[in-house]
Amino acid sequence: FFFSQQDIMGFFVLFESAAGFSLFEPVEVEEIETLSSKVQQSLQDFKRLTKVIKLRAFVPFGTPEKALACQNDVSEGILNDFLKAFLEQNIPKKGSHSLGVADKALQATIGEATPYSCISNSTVLELVRAIRSHFDLFHKSVTEEESQFLFKAQRSLSHSYSRGKVKFNVHKADMMIMQSVSTLDQLDKDINTFAMRVREWYSWHFPELIKIVSDNILYARLAKLIGDKSSLSTNPQLEELNRITGDEAISNNIITAARTSMGYDISEFDLRLVNKFAGRVASLAEFRAKLSLFLKAKMSIVAPNLNALIGDVVGARLINHAGSLTTLAKYPASTVQILGAEKALFRALKTRTNTPKYGLIFNASYIGKAKSKDKGRISRYLANKCSIASRLDAFSDKPTDKFGICLAKQVEDRLKFFETGVAPPKNVDVMHDVLAALGDEDSDEDVEMVEEKVVETPKKEKKEKKEKKDKKRRSSKGSSK
């Protein structure tokens, strides 16, 4: 495979288990060098495997806490002191040695911190797979009780590791936002489909109600309340109708239309089904309203600046499309601008036409306020502000919506600038005012850094002037010669 004769003589394989760290060493050099498909199949046989590789050293973790700490370090690619000491004690110091590691992140860390040449390829993975299958057989003194103990240690470590990973999930705050906005979008589609079905179903019995009530949810609530239209002739239910419609004139029109309706009569069984389905649609609409309030409250906590800038729904859709708030914060403004329009972008690149100007941020109110010629400019400006707001929300220690409110004011000023030509305030001044209002201790340092960046332009101009003078001098010397 990838090992020379010299490297194999000092080749070892590191194996991590729930009981401890193990170090294996090849027995026959040529067997590994010429590792064919037949040899790979024979690795499943323990007797044949012992002729290829042997156990050189093993160190137990000792306690479950130490096992969990080592497993966390291995999963994150960290070389802790326990593993480093184990390798230094059992790998000869003289000569050049190669170490096979299954995890690529750990391989890179060990290669940087130790003098060993770390390898992670198909041969190492095949050996680790075979070792894992026969790990308990390598320990000759293992009894049935110790084998059961090893199984319990594996189960205990897997439970502790999984529990720790779930608790330590850095995306658990914005995960609720992602699930909520996905459910909200799905509910909008479902409620619209179900409400249209209620209108078509109930209109056979009371067709005049469609012309009086245009809102789908209001129609479903009225269909559930009215039921049989003939009941309105004997029992008008004016108070209940007023409570749902909120307008007495509409309620009177419904009662009048029910008395002169040309719709079909409907059986009691069919009417019961229509009323039940209309009630489900109304309850879905109520749940949708509660979920919208939950999303708004969650966005104000997790991403207050993004919420203040473009609203809770659009901000949540950006987070959901990116995968997390941290991922969105790492995106440049140009990516945020077309986030959600990937198909249109690749189609434009393939056909060599104009690329899209906006994606999900098109649903923001600022794009609708701008003129058609300014929509691309304001979307680029808004994406820039969204990128700033998401980074503030993701990495700031003290969450606040002050920056988001000022960023929204900047977008409004930019829209006015497109219409009137009045220059908006600079971003440096706006951020300075926000930091001053918050009373941040680091505000002076931040302003000094920004001022240093602003002063960079005159230095560049001086360099350019110097270069021009030097060119003139050189040309004049060349002409005199």
Side-chain angles (χ1 to χ4, degrees):
F1 269 68
F2 306 100
F3 310 126
S4 64
Q5 184 79 14
Q6 185 178 359
D7 291 335
I8 293 294
M9 294 302 293
F11 177 64
F12 302 92
V13 177
L14 176 66
F15 179 75
E16 313 93 20
S17 66
F21 290 118
S22 305
L23 194 67
F24 289 84
E25 183 180 8
V27 177
E28 296 184 8
V29 176
E30 296 180 359
E31 189 73 20
I32 296 177
E33 283 183 337
T34 59
L35 197 62
S36 61
S37 59
K38 293 183 180 179
V39 177
Q40 291 180 16
Q41 293 174 3
S42 68
L43 289 178
Q44 298 300 324
D45 185 9
F46 178 69
K47 292 182 180 179
R48 184 69 182 274
L49 183 62
T50 54
K51 297 178 181 180
V52 179
I53 195 167
K54 67 177 182 180
L55 178 64
R56 180 182 176 88
F58 171 75
V59 57
F61 291 129
T63 60
E65 292 79 10
K66 195 169 186 178
L68 180 60
C70 290
Q71 184 61 36
N72 288 328
D73 291 341
V74 169
S75 65
E76 295 174 7
I78 299 173
L79 177 63
N80 55 22
D81 297 335
F82 183 72
L83 177 57
K84 188 176 181 180
F86 170 69
L87 294 175
E88 290 176 351
Q89 289 174 4
N90 296 283
I91 296 179
K93 297 181 179 179
K94 295 182 179 180
S96 60
H97 305 286
S98 300
L99 180 65
V101 184
D103 189 85
K104 290 187 176 180
L106 186 62
Q107 171 214 349
T109 308
I110 295 176
E112 292 176 358
T114 61
Y116 316 126
S117 175
C118 292
I119 301 169
S120 179
N121 52 26
S122 58
T123 306
V124 174
L125 294 177
E126 189 69 22
L127 289 171
V128 169
R129 185 176 65 85
I131 292 168
R132 186 181 295 110
S133 301
H134 306 286
F135 178 70
D136 53 343
L137 298 177
F138 276 102
H139 299 271
K140 296 180 181 178
S141 60
V142 171
T143 60
E144 291 185 1
E145 295 180 357
E146 290 175 345
S147 181
Q148 288 292 328
F149 173 76
L150 181 62
F151 174 73
K152 290 181 180 179
Q154 291 175 346
R155 186 173 58 183
S156 175
L157 179 60
S158 62
H159 288 176
S160 302
Y161 179 74
S162 302
R163 193 182 301 113
K165 282 295 180 184
V166 170
K167 289 182 178 179
F168 189 67
N169 187 5
V170 294
H171 306 307
K172 61 184 178 182
D174 49 10
M175 183 62 69
M176 300 302 296
I177 292 175
M178 294 162 59
Q179 295 296 333
S180 298
V181 74
S182 298
T183 307
L184 206 63
D185 292 338
Q186 189 64 41
L187 279 175
D188 288 337
K189 296 177 184 178
D190 294 343
I191 290 172
N192 186 47
T193 304
F194 295 156
M196 292 301 296
R197 185 62 57 197
V198 171
R199 290 170 73 95
E200 291 178 7
W201 200 350
Y202 192 68
S203 62
W204 284 95
H205 178 62
F206 193 1
E208 291 81 7
L209 186 61
I210 293 178
K211 298 179 181 179
I212 301 172
V213 179
S214 58
D215 184 72
N216 291 333
I217 307 303
L218 184 59
Y219 186 93
R221 290 172 180 169
L222 288 171
K224 181 184 177 183
L225 175 66
I226 295 170
D228 191 355
K229 63 182 178 180
S230 59
S231 63
L232 291 178
S233 301
T234 57
N235 185 17
Q237 301 178 353
L238 187 60
E239 293 183 0
E240 288 81 358
L241 289 173
N242 290 336
R243 180 174 55 82
I244 295 175
T245 59
D247 191 351
E248 189 174 354
I250 296 176
S251 302
N252 291 326
N253 291 337
I254 293 172
I255 295 172
T256 305
R259 292 170 181 171
T260 60
S261 176
M262 300 295 291
Y264 292 95
D265 291 334
I266 191 170
S267 65
E268 185 178 353
F269 178 75
D270 295 338
L271 186 61
R272 195 182 302 119
L273 290 176
V274 175
N275 289 342
K276 195 171 183 179
F277 186 54
R280 292 289 177 89
V281 174
S283 63
L284 278 176
E286 293 176 1
F287 174 70
R288 197 259 178 214
K290 293 179 181 177
L291 187 62
S292 180
L293 293 175
F294 169 78
L295 179 63
K296 190 173 183 179
K298 202 71 178 176
M299 280 291 293
S300 62
I301 297 171
V302 177
N305 294 298
L306 196 63
N307 182 32
L309 178 59
I310 56 174
D312 53 339
V313 177
V314 182
R317 284 174 181 164
L318 287 175
I319 295 173
N320 184 33
H321 198 83
S324 67
L325 180 61
T326 307
T327 308
L328 179 64
K330 294 176 182 178
Y331 283 163
S334 58
T335 303
V336 176
Q337 182 181 350
I338 59 172
L339 204 63
E342 288 83 4
K343 289 185 179 179
L345 174 65
F346 292 121
R347 184 172 59 249
L349 294 174
K350 187 177 181 180
T351 57
R352 296 183 180 180
T353 55
N354 294 331
T355 56
K357 297 178 181 178
Y358 28 68
L360 291 171
I361 61 173
F362 177 77
N363 298 315
S365 59
Y366 306 108
I367 309 295
K369 293 178 183 178
K371 297 179 181 178
S372 58
K373 64 176 183 179
D374 298 328
K375 286 185 182 295
R377 299 165 68 187
I378 196 63
S379 64
R380 184 166 58 250
Y381 188 82
L382 180 60
N384 183 17
K385 299 304 176 184
C386 287
S387 181
I388 295 173
S390 60
R391 289 167 189 174
L392 287 168
D393 292 330
F395 304 117
S396 60
D397 297 330
K398 300 177 182 177
T400 177
D401 61 346
K402 300 289 184 181
F403 292 99
I405 295 171
C406 290
L407 292 173
K409 182 68 170 57
Q410 283 185 289
V411 179
E412 293 284 354
D413 294 340
R414 180 63 61 168
L415 286 171
K416 292 178 183 178
F417 169 70
F418 292 153
E419 294 177 359
T420 61
V422 179
K426 293 183 178 180
N427 188 46
V428 178
D429 299 332
V430 174
M431 294 296 108
H432 180 274
D433 295 339
V434 177
L435 291 172
L438 292 173
D440 196 343
E441 295 178 356
D442 300 330
S443 60
D444 295 332
E445 297 178 4
D446 295 337
V447 172
E448 287 177 4
M449 291 172 64
V450 172
E451 288 176 355
E452 286 177 2
K453 290 181 180 179
V454 173
V455 179
E456 283 180 2
T457 49
K459 291 181 180 179
K460 290 182 179 178
E461 292 176 0
K462 288 180 180 179
K463 287 183 179 179
E464 290 176 359
K465 289 179 180 180
K466 238 184 178 182
E467 289 174 0
K468 287 180 180 179
K469 288 180 180 180
D470 293 335
K471 285 181 180 179
K472 287 182 180 179
R473 290 174 183 173
R474 290 172 188 170
S475 61
S476 60
K477 287 180 181 179
S479 60
S480 63
K481 286 180 181 179

